[in-house]
Amino acid sequence: MYNFDKITDRRGTASLKWDIRENVLPMWVADMDFETAPEITEAIRKRADHGVFGYSIIPDEWYGAYMGWWKDRHGLDIDKEWLIFCTGVVPALSSIVRKLTTPGERILIQTPVYNIFVNSIVNNGRFVVESPLIYEDGSYRMDLERLERELADPQTTMMFLCNPQNPGGIIWDKDTLARVGEMCAANNVLVVADEIHCDLTDPREEYIPFASVSEVCRNNSITCMSPSKAFNLAGLQSAAVMVPDPVIRHKVDRGLNTDEVAEPNAFAVAATVAAFTKGGMWLDELREYIYSNKCIVKDFLKNEIPSVRLVPSKATYLLWIDCRDVTDDSKDLAWKIRKNTGLFLSNGVQYGKNGEGFIRMNIACPKDLLKDGLDRFKKGIDMYQEGE
Ligand SMILES: Cc1ncc(COP(=O)(O)O)c(C=O)c1O
């Protein structure tokens, strides 16, 4: 049994999330307040104890760790040569955009979605095609007819697929993924599947790797994977890009090398190997803990803040909360909650225009912090409704 109730003080560690004013409770950026699996810390400590930190290579164990994990956990057979190390998913996305599209082309994203997708597109002089998901009866689905029209534009050459979807916590089903794969292939649109959240499904829920759906999906896709979300290792900068097609793979490989994001720091490999070979039990307990946090939030919102609704989800520790009965201005709402209570949440509109009126809450924290966050949330909504 691992102890997820333990509060570890993160202030003073140069943490993006926690090196902030006293009394601010951050529940925004997607990193967790739990210490990582002790098996991983042990591997890092062992590496640190060695004391020599020269240049690193990618050893066989790194490939084996990804291959074994994806086969056992996700039923996907990966060939060793499909995998390329990268220092992060966002560095990979940006590099892939630069190498496999040209300036002025259009890259499709399905909103609401991880906001940094937009940066990787716009900062490289490409245009965003914002294809909104349909939100109906409290859940999201793809608008496949609209998607088909948008993919048919010859200037649209790439699609970022977020699977599972951040911020909605949606696990895409096989039929939907197959349809996306067919439509993209038919229109020469390359799919970049960001699967960074794939290990954070609710207990007994499984995600479906895009590349596992069909040959069409496999051969026309690049998949980004990493232990960083599931094992809380974002600061170690370790990810992988999986590219089954050899021609696309060669280009991605050259792009990552040219952008100098294909080499690991001295701890990245040891941590990744430990996560994927020894972290399974810890992860399964973590998923239970996050799920129980989600149930607490669901009950609390229902009983204490009936003016907001939790969007049902099956993955990630990010909750997507519909506050449209309170306001249509989520920036203002998030800002006033922060000003009045110190609770720091993500405003929904940064994930796309249809995120307006929503708030994203990161619940990957010990229950005492969660309860503090919920009390502050209630106070913040009450004050907002009173015009403060
Ligand atoms: C969907 C998604 N992709 C990528 C990232 C960041 O990846 P990395 O830290 O490896 O660049 C995040 C972080 O929240 C994310 O939610």
Side-chain angles (χ1 to χ4, degrees):
M1 282 289 282
Y2 299 95
N3 181 10
F4 295 101
D5 284 327
K6 178 181 172 197
I7 296 180
T8 303
D9 185 4
R10 298 182 61 189
R11 291 179 193 271
T13 61
S15 156
L16 169 68
K17 191 175 178 184
W18 279 97
D19 275 13
I20 43 170
R21 266 193 306 115
E22 279 298 316
N23 288 327
V24 173
L25 179 62
M27 295 178 82
W28 63 285
V29 66
D31 77 17
M32 305 197 281
D33 294 328
F34 308 118
E35 292 177 19
T36 191
E39 295 79 0
I40 298 175
T41 309
E42 181 51 35
I44 294 169
R45 192 176 290 122
K46 199 166 152 211
R47 182 66 191 85
D49 283 347
H50 183 260
V52 181
F53 306 107
Y55 295 115
S56 302
I57 56 154
I58 307 296
D60 280 347
E61 296 78 52
W62 180 87
Y63 295 94
Y66 272 96
M67 290 158 68
W69 184 265
W70 253 263
K71 183 162 180 53
D72 294 347
R73 292 244 158 191
H74 309 307
L76 178 67
D77 281 305
I78 299 176
D79 285 0
K80 181 183 168 193
E81 63 265 27
W82 296 356
L83 293 168
I84 309 168
F85 176 88
C86 185
T87 52
V89 169
V90 171
L93 295 175
S94 294
S95 180
I96 288 164
V97 165
R98 283 191 289 275
K99 187 70 183 181
L100 287 147
T101 67
T102 57
E105 286 185 349
R106 293 151 65 84
I107 299 176
L108 187 141
I109 59 171
Q110 297 175 296
T111 50
V113 77
Y114 178 51
N115 51 327
I116 308 301
F117 281 0
V118 171
N119 299 4
S120 290
I121 298 168
V122 172
N123 292 346
N124 288 301
R126 278 71 167 167
F127 295 109
V128 173
V129 184
E130 190 172 327
S131 185
L133 299 172
I134 296 175
Y135 180 58
E136 225 167 47
D137 301 327
S139 73
Y140 283 98
R141 62 187 161 84
M142 290 190 195
D143 185 344
L144 291 170
E145 278 167 29
R146 177 173 175 158
L147 183 62
E148 187 158 36
R149 282 199 305 279
E150 285 158 343
L151 293 171
D153 177 349
Q155 276 298 100
T156 304
T157 55
M158 185 172 280
M159 169 173 169
F160 284 172
L161 173 76
C162 197
N163 179 34
Q165 180 94 349
N166 165 13
I170 312 154
I171 298 181
W172 296 115
D173 65 74
K174 193 168 178 184
D175 288 348
T176 302
L177 294 175
R179 222 26 223 116
V180 168
E182 283 157 21
M183 291 193 293
C184 285
N187 289 290
N188 294 308
V189 173
L190 181 61
V191 178
V192 182
D194 178 340
E195 301 190 350
I196 195 168
H197 291 280
C198 71
D199 287 306
L200 288 165
T201 51
D202 288 355
R204 292 159 292 284
E205 293 286 349
E206 239 320 323
Y207 102 109
I208 300 165
F210 182 73
S212 74
V213 168
S214 66
E215 235 171 89
V216 172
C217 291
R218 191 183 66 205
N219 295 336
N220 185 45
S221 66
I222 298 168
T223 300
C224 300
M225 35 213 340
S226 169
S228 69
K229 292 292 152 200
F231 293 97
N232 210 23
L233 303 173
L236 284 183
Q237 299 180 317
S238 183
V241 182
M242 179 185 77
V243 200
D245 179 81
V247 176
I248 304 172
R249 184 164 66 242
H250 177 74
K251 289 190 177 165
V252 173
D253 188 45
R254 293 318 312 148
L256 296 176
N257 272 281
T258 307
D259 291 335
E260 310 296 355
V261 289
E263 273 139 40
N265 65 65
F267 301 104
V269 167
T272 303
V273 171
F276 289 146
T277 58
K278 298 181 181 155
M281 236 163 69
W282 180 90
L283 180 70
D284 289 336
E285 286 187 26
L286 170 78
R287 288 164 68 202
E288 295 284 354
Y289 193 90
I290 290 171
Y291 183 70
S292 67
N293 276 5
K294 188 178 356 185
C295 294
I296 290 172
V297 177
K298 194 171 152 195
D299 286 346
F300 186 92
L301 297 187
K302 197 165 136 229
N303 298 326
E304 303 289 334
I305 325 179
S307 53
V308 307
R309 279 182 306 278
L310 180 63
V311 176
S313 64
K314 290 186 172 166
T316 83
Y317 49 71
L318 305 163
L319 298 187
W320 190 233
I321 302 172
D322 183 349
C323 303
R324 289 174 304 164
D325 287 346
V326 176
T327 178
D328 277 335
D329 189 342
S330 47
K331 237 185 193 167
D332 186 54
L333 177 63
W335 164 241
K336 291 204 173 119
I337 291 174
R338 187 172 169 188
K339 183 170 67 92
N340 289 331
T341 74
L343 176 63
F344 190 171
L345 300 167
S346 303
N347 76 66
V349 73
Q350 61 187 304
Y351 303 97
K353 290 188 205 84
N354 56 348
E356 189 56 284
F358 290 77
I359 288 283
R360 193 188 78 168
M361 178 185 276
N362 174 349
I363 57 157
C365 59
K367 289 194 167 41
D368 285 348
L369 293 185
L370 182 73
K371 285 173 190 151
D372 181 8
L374 288 174
D375 289 339
R376 293 188 200 215
F377 190 45
K378 178 175 162 54
K379 183 174 163 205
I381 295 281
D382 286 347
M383 288 178 79
Y384 194 85
Q385 287 180 314
E386 282 154 21
E388 286 174 56

